[in-house]
Amino acid sequence: VIGVQQGSELVVTSGQAPISPEGVVVGDNVADQTKYMFENCRTQLAKSGCGFNDVYKCIVFLKDIKLWPAFNEVYQTYFTAGKMPARTAIEVSALPVDGFLVEIEMWATKPAKSSSL
């Protein structure tokens, strides 16, 4: 069970993938692709006023579940031990772009903006 504090806002980084702003797949292995995705997620979370410590759920799509150990090794470096988000990993037969080995979605919370009515 994941509880979200009342009055919090949800922040979702949906479908983050290892692709540059120019549309080029970054990295030819899951470790490099995961690092690139996580740095992109860091930027997206920061723009929303969050960080990795605010993430409570991750959904990971892997081209091959055998890539899990290499993905997980990188994943663990971005979160505080003992405060890892809940996580689901799914092997998929295809990802949206040839060359993608991994894609991630993160769910975070942040305190709601106070209303000045």
Side-chain angles (χ1 to χ4, degrees):
V1 174
I2 297 173
V4 177
Q5 186 174 4
Q6 185 174 359
S8 295
E9 292 182 357
L10 289 178
V11 174
V12 180
T13 64
S14 180
Q16 297 300 302
I19 194 162
S20 73
E22 297 76 32
V24 177
V25 176
V26 176
D28 59 0
N29 62 66
V30 75
D32 289 344
Q33 288 190 5
T34 301
K35 288 174 191 171
Y36 184 84
M37 276 188 334
F38 267 80
E39 290 307 316
N40 189 44
C41 287
R42 180 190 311 273
T43 300
Q44 297 304 315
L45 289 167
K47 286 180 180 179
S48 298
C50 295
F52 289 118
N53 284 338
D54 301 304
V55 175
Y56 68 88
K57 171 71 176 163
C58 292
I59 303 171
V60 181
F61 303 94
L62 292 165
K63 179 81 175 177
D64 184 336
I65 203 68
K66 292 176 186 162
L67 297 171
W68 175 257
F71 165 82
N72 197 46
E73 187 174 326
V74 175
Y75 177 93
Q76 291 179 351
T77 66
Y78 284 89
F79 295 103
T80 304
K83 294 181 77 176
M84 298 290 223
R87 168 170 64 152
T88 301
I90 303 163
E91 179 181 37
V92 295
S93 62
L95 287 165
V97 173
D98 285 341
F100 283 4
L101 300 173
V102 62
E103 188 173 324
I104 194 164
E105 179 177 299
M106 292 184 183
W107 290 66
T109 61
K110 68 177 185 176
K113 296 177 185 171
S114 56
S115 175
S116 58
L117 295 177

